[in-house]
Amino acid sequence: MKTITILGSTGSIGQTTLNLVKQHQDKFQVLGLCGGNNLKQMIADALFFKPKFISMSNEKLQKDLESALAGHLPHSKIICGEQASHHIAQEKADIFISAIVGSAGLIPTMEAIKHGTQVALANKESLVCAGNLMLEQVRKSQTTLLPIDSEHNAIFQVLQQNHHAHIEKILLTCSGGPFRTKDLEFIRKATPAQAVAHPKWSMGNKISVDSASLMNKGLEWIEASHLFNVDCDKIQVVIHPQSIIHSMVAYDDGSVLAQLGSPDMAVPISYALDYPKRLANNSKRIDFWQCEDLTFQQPDETKFKALKLSRSAFKANDNSTIILNASNEEAVASFLDNHKIGFLNILDVIEEMLNLNISTKIHSLEDVLAEDQKARIQTQEIIKKFLR
């Protein structure tokens, strides 16, 4: 049996992973569960899966969690607090699911890699902020990094054909989010409720806002360049509203290979869980007789400048992508916090931060964390100019 630790177990990807484990209890055993604030879900999952390690980032939940599990899991270790996931990531598992949003996933993901655990990565921010460092550690630890974002998992599957040298272009698909057909004035006035109402995927609030601004695709563009060792100019974002084709690879002989599936995270997660084998799951199958037309559009970068900002950050200097991610996280949080800034102000804040950027060489994880913290402090000052 494979042992699994899940970072972000109470979130949507974590819950999808646990549902797959329930379908295949003969194949997988949960070693560790790491959650945030959803105490009720954590208690239910801990009682069902009986993991050896249980953690929540909110240290105030330690006593409540211990009380609820007392007598049920005498051999389980419960740790709560900001550093809890770092410790659990050091416990060797066969698979570490990195499924929380934001730079908070960087340290525990690196810890898992250092300890030789195979990582299934949904935390794109780790690669955006520390891609070179993370991939270097993967090589040192002789382990594997498996992408479970649907787009990168699709590319990964296509590239299993082993024709990397003949890649002409990677086509990174994108639903276009809830504002794809809206004009600039509507987008400017958009509320948090409108921004998180994704037309195809059920996700957390932060990633849903990123999808609405297309920043999610900008971050994935950077992630794809790192993951597949492909020049960033060979990656193209394509709007595909139906979310049936999850990404494509165009080769120099004119062939284009694509991976198709319903918009269900169970598909890429199941592929990562039992790689290189395939794992049966209960995801909805495509009914081609009922399938909508498959359409494709070029992104409108006058409405969605996140793509342009991401490209310029990636091509600039060592710390630009750290600043890109940190300023985006802070600005999105302000937008979601009672609409303190407008939706388009998110990108205004990021652009100002990138214009302030002074090049700093990044040599270590400590450098990444220091630049991240500095960028967040500067971003808060810029946000004050846009407060409503």
Side-chain angles (χ1 to χ4, degrees), residues 93-283:
D94 292 311
I95 306 170
F96 182 83
I97 307 290
S98 180
I100 63 171
V101 174
S103 59
L106 175 56
I107 295 178
T109 302
M110 285 289 278
E111 286 294 338
I113 293 170
K114 285 178 184 178
H115 286 78
T117 302
Q118 186 178 75
V119 170
L121 186 71
N123 177 257
K124 62 182 68 65
E125 293 86 354
S126 295
L127 278 176
V128 168
C129 294
N132 292 329
L133 293 173
M134 182 168 286
L135 293 174
E136 181 184 352
Q137 188 60 58
V138 168
R139 289 188 289 271
K140 281 183 180 178
S141 300
Q142 296 184 323
T143 188
T144 308
L145 196 61
L146 299 169
I148 53 177
D149 272 335
S150 62
E151 296 85 358
H152 300 84
N153 187 269
I155 296 163
F156 183 79
Q157 291 193 47
V158 168
L159 289 180
Q160 293 307 296
Q161 300 295 324
N162 238 353
H163 300 307
H164 195 279
H166 294 280
I167 293 173
E168 193 170 82
K169 192 171 290 185
I170 286 178
L171 301 162
L172 197 64
T173 59
C174 170
S175 73
F179 302 147
R180 177 178 61 87
T181 61
K182 305 299 183 183
D183 60 30
L184 204 54
E185 189 57 29
F186 180 95
I187 297 172
R188 183 175 288 109
K189 296 176 181 178
T191 65
Q194 291 170 321
V196 301
H198 198 281
K200 287 292 181 182
W201 297 92
S202 176
M203 306 178 292
N205 286 346
K206 192 269 180 183
I207 191 171
S208 295
V209 173
D210 284 351
S211 293
S213 69
L214 296 200
M215 178 54 75
N216 192 49
K217 209 51 51 176
L219 299 177
E220 288 180 1
W221 181 82
I222 296 169
E223 181 185 12
S225 184
H226 281 303
L227 271 175
F228 307 115
N229 193 27
V230 172
D231 187 282
C232 58
D233 289 329
K234 286 189 173 184
I235 302 170
Q236 180 180 337
V237 174
V238 178
I239 302 293
H240 171 51
Q242 295 80 24
S243 297
I244 296 296
I245 295 176
H246 295 296
S247 276
M248 299 171 277
V249 179
Y251 291 98
D252 57 11
D253 65 350
S255 299
V256 179
L257 303 186
Q259 187 266 342
L260 284 70
S262 295
D264 186 340
M265 284 303 296
V267 178
I269 294 171
S270 67
Y271 188 76
L273 282 178
D274 212 23
Y275 176 81
K277 300 176 183 177
R278 289 187 181 272
L279 185 70
N281 62 67
N282 296 330
S283 64

